[in-house]
């Protein structure tokens, strides 16, 4: 340990700085190492273009990764669901922080619940996963893409540009906007994005087992097993963050239970499966085989076709 504080690189949005500060405080509490935040502007934050036109995954993480490589920062905190499943050369997820609430939440005007929304109501979300699952429940709603951080999106509800938005509960909690939530979707109705609610701490592989090994103090083994299973499903389906894939795993009573769904953009076709395994030693291996096996079963039922078709007509899609 040196006297110089560790430099944690973060995006500038309120959500990113809030979750980064939270991890920074946990690192300091558990290891005694001081941490200071370095605010980095990412391409995904400044561009107005639809994210799929930028090549989809990774726009939020690339600037942070460049800073890791150049030594401008020591480590970075990412929302795990924004992290592409392909490993990044020279980088390691040194810790997965304990997951917050993984569920999606509805924020509608006038306190309306999902069932209360009048037919034809306009729901703002650019996430194909959310659109597909919500259209399966309410084909009578209209779905429109929407951009901006949580505050901007909630502002569009208040101003009447849309009637409701769906956002991650964890993100709303991090920016202090839980009062805007009018309904929370249980996983039975709507499966979250792989990794939703969890944070990844990333650094150079060469330092993860060296001077930054202390960062493993904020790793949470159960969360790591859960997100490994979820992200393996996504990778096996050859789907990215713009695909209509929901996956949710939980460690409960010594078992790892994984549920996943692939839903066609209009909600009319879906492949949903679940599977569980006992989890004790060797959790990482068990978690990735669970994800692989579930994905194989789903591919057997046509899930890969739904993913490919969704990718073809993803002209309106944006990030999850
Ligand atoms: N792609 C944006 C993004 N990345 C992570 C979160 C939420 C927080 C989380 O899942 O950790 C959000 C916003 C949202 O989906 O509402």
């Amino acid at each position: 340990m040196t006297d110089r504080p560790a430099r944690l690189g973060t995006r500038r949005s309120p959500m990113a700085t809030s979750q980064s500060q939270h991890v920074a405080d946990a690192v300091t509490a558990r290891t005694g190492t001081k941490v200071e935040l370095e605010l980095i502007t990412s391409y995904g934050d400044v561009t107005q273009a639809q994210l799929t036109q930028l090549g989809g995954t990774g726009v939020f993480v690339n600037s942070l990764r460049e800073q890791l490589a150049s030594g401008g920062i020591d480590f970075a905190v990412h929302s795990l669901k924004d992290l592409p499943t392909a490993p990044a050369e020279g980088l390691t997820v040194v810790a997965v922080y304990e997951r917050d609430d993984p569920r999606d939440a509805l924020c509608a005007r006038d306190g309306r619940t999902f069932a209360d929304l009048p037919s034809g109501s306009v729901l703002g979300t650019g996430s194909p996963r959310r659109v597909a699952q919500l259209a399966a429940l309410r084909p009578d709603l209209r779905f429109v893409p929407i951009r901006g951080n949580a505050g901007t999106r909630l502002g569009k509800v208040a101003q009447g540009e849309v009637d409701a938005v769906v956002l991650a509960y964890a993100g709303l909690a991090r920016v202090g906007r839980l009062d805007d939530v009018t309904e929370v979707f249980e996983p039975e109705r709507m499966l979250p994005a792989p990794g939703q609610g969890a944070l990844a701490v990333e650094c150079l592989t060469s330092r993860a087992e060296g001077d930054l090994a202390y960062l493993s103090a904020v790793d949470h083994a159960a969360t790591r097993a859960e997100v490994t299973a979820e992200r393996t499903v996504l990778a096996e389906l050859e789907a990215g963050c713009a695909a209509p894939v929901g996956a949710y795993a939980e460690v409960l009573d010594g078992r790892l239970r994984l549920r996943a769904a692939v839903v066609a953009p209009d909600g009319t076709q879906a492949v949903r499966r679940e599977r569980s395994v006992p989890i004790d030693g060797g959790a990482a291996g068990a978690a990735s085989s669970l994800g692989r096996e579930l994905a194989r079963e789903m591919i057997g039922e046509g899930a890969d076709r739904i993913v490919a078709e969704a990718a073809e007509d993803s002209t309106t899609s944006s990030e999850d």
Side-chain angles (χ1 to χ4, degrees), residues 10-23 37 39:
T10 175
R11 291 172 52 203
R12 292 171 180 271
S13 72
M15 190 183 301
T17 53
S18 159
Q19 67 197 28
S20 295
Q21 189 61 56
H22 186 78
V23 172
L37 264 50
L39 304 186

Side-chain angles (χ1 to χ4, degrees), residues 46-102:
V46 293
T47 183
Q48 292 302 307
Q50 287 289 319
L51 289 177
T52 41
Q53 290 168 359
L54 301 174
T57 59
V59 289
F60 290 128
V61 303
N62 289 342
S63 311
L64 294 175
R65 286 179 163 173
E66 281 163 23
Q67 291 291 322
L68 287 172
S70 69
I73 58 176
D74 296 308
F75 65 98
V77 170
H78 311 284
S79 284
L80 237 164
K81 79 168 184 177
D82 296 334
L83 212 57
T85 52
E89 206 184 318
L91 298 174
T92 298
V93 174
V94 61
V96 176
Y97 193 73
E98 182 170 6
R99 170 137 75 178
D100 285 330
D101 196 314

Side-chain angles (χ1 to χ4, degrees), residues 7-190:
R7 292 156 306 163
L8 190 178
T10 175
R11 291 172 52 203
R12 292 171 180 271
S13 72
M15 190 183 301
T17 53
S18 159
Q19 67 197 28
S20 295
Q21 189 61 56
H22 186 78
V23 172
D25 292 344
V27 168
T28 305
R30 292 184 206 177
T31 69
T33 303
K34 291 211 172 67
V35 179
E36 62 186 26
L37 264 50
E38 292 271 343
L39 304 186
I40 313 287
T41 300
S42 85
Y43 189 49
D45 290 326
V46 293
T47 183
Q48 292 302 307
Q50 287 289 319
L51 289 177
T52 41
Q53 290 168 359
L54 301 174
T57 59
V59 289
F60 290 128
V61 303
N62 289 342
S63 311
L64 294 175
R65 286 179 163 173
E66 281 163 23
Q67 291 291 322
L68 287 172
S70 69
I73 58 176
D74 296 308
F75 65 98
V77 170
H78 311 284
S79 284
L80 237 164
K81 79 168 184 177
D82 296 334
L83 212 57
T85 52
E89 206 184 318
L91 298 174
T92 298
V93 174
V94 61
V96 176
Y97 193 73
E98 182 170 6
R99 170 137 75 178
D100 285 330
D101 196 314
R103 298 174 297 173
D104 286 301
L106 181 79
C107 303
R109 228 183 6 267
D110 306 326
R112 287 188 196 269
T113 62
F114 190 57
D116 286 345
L117 289 172
S119 195
S121 291
V122 177
L123 206 150
T125 172
S127 154
R129 173 188 64 86
R130 288 177 177 143
V131 171
Q133 295 191 91
L134 294 168
L137 298 167
R138 289 285 311 265
D140 58 320
L141 300 180
R142 278 183 51 214
F143 300 92
V144 299
I146 190 169
R147 285 260 321 153
N149 65 30
T152 307
R153 293 178 194 216
L154 292 170
K156 292 181 180 181
V157 178
Q159 290 145 24
E161 203 171 306
V162 295
D163 298 307
V165 290
V166 174
L167 291 163
Y169 188 93
L172 289 163
R174 290 174 196 149
V175 296
R177 296 297 295 264
L178 288 183
D179 287 350
D180 291 65
V181 173
T182 58
E183 184 164 354
V184 181
F185 293 101
E186 292 304 325
E188 285 69 26
R189 285 208 296 161
M190 163 110 136

